Amino acid sequence: MADTSTQSIQVHAPLDRVAAVISDFPRYPEWAEAMKQVEVLEEYEDGYAYRVRFVIDAGVMADDYTLEYAYADDLSRVEWHLIEPSKTQKSQRGSYDLVEGADGTTTVTYTLEVELSIGMLGMFRRKAEKMIMDTALKQLKRRVESLQS
């Protein structure tokens, strides 16, 4: 059974800059440590990625999987789901929700629901999810804020 986890972080950048980093999949290996290869397989007519293949190696877990993406018109939400089971995942659904503040910052809320193919005690799974989400949000924040001009 899949559990849903949610975490938020404030990024010192406008929504459009945060959305640009989130949707620039080929550059993920430059800033997301576990991402070894990211390949856009298919795009929408507007150029945003529709299907994206990921090869990850997070030390304790390595995987190769493909996600399908959908975007809100104003890019305030980017959501995805796993197309077919992978070596370690039965299912994955997730989203980034972006809310721009009046001060030019953006609150990013990351929601992730993963059902693993391998058994893992609930306590360890929750700890792993928290670490993955915490790392992903901190790396996203660092990348977006490092690109400011």
Side-chain angles (χ1 to χ4, degrees):
M1 184 153 130
D3 286 330
T4 302
S5 298
T6 301
Q7 227 173 295
S8 297
I9 197 166
Q10 189 173 61
V11 180
H12 297 281
L15 185 148
D16 62 338
R17 192 167 306 152
V18 177
V21 170
I22 289 170
S23 58
D24 188 4
F25 296 101
R27 291 212 135 129
Y28 275 35
E30 295 175 13
W31 59 270
E33 292 168 9
M35 300 292 171
K36 300 308 171 196
Q37 182 182 348
V38 181
E39 177 186 8
V40 176
L41 303 175
E42 205 174 328
E43 294 180 340
Y44 289 102
E45 287 182 14
D46 61 9
Y48 283 97
Y50 172 57
R51 287 188 175 191
V52 183
R53 178 176 168 253
F54 294 87
V55 177
I56 65 164
D57 187 348
V60 295
M61 187 180 100
D63 205 358
D64 183 336
Y65 57 93
T66 302
L67 302 176
E68 264 184 17
Y69 282 84
Y71 308 82
D73 289 340
D74 63 358
L75 297 179
S76 63
R77 181 175 176 87
V78 178
E79 58 186 31
W80 63 88
H81 69 272
L82 186 68
I83 295 175
E84 58 188 36
S86 69
K87 183 172 69 174
T88 63
Q89 302 175 73
K90 287 183 184 177
S91 67
Q92 180 187 142
R93 289 193 170 282
S95 64
Y96 284 110
D97 288 292
L98 311 177
V99 178
E100 191 167 58
D103 59 356
T105 64
T106 301
T107 300
V108 180
T109 301
Y110 180 21
T111 302
L112 186 63
E113 177 184 297
V114 177
E115 186 174 1
L116 296 174
S117 302
I118 53 177
M120 187 180 284
L121 288 174
M123 177 180 69
F124 294 117
R125 186 177 65 239
R126 283 186 293 281
K127 189 172 184 168
E129 285 172 357
K130 182 184 179 337
M131 186 185 75
I132 290 165
M133 294 180 80
D134 195 47
T135 301
L137 284 171
K138 285 178 180 172
Q139 290 177 358
L140 173 66
K141 175 183 173 72
R142 187 169 45 246
R143 174 65 171 194
V144 172
E145 292 176 355
S146 75
L147 296 175
Q148 305 233 18
S149 43

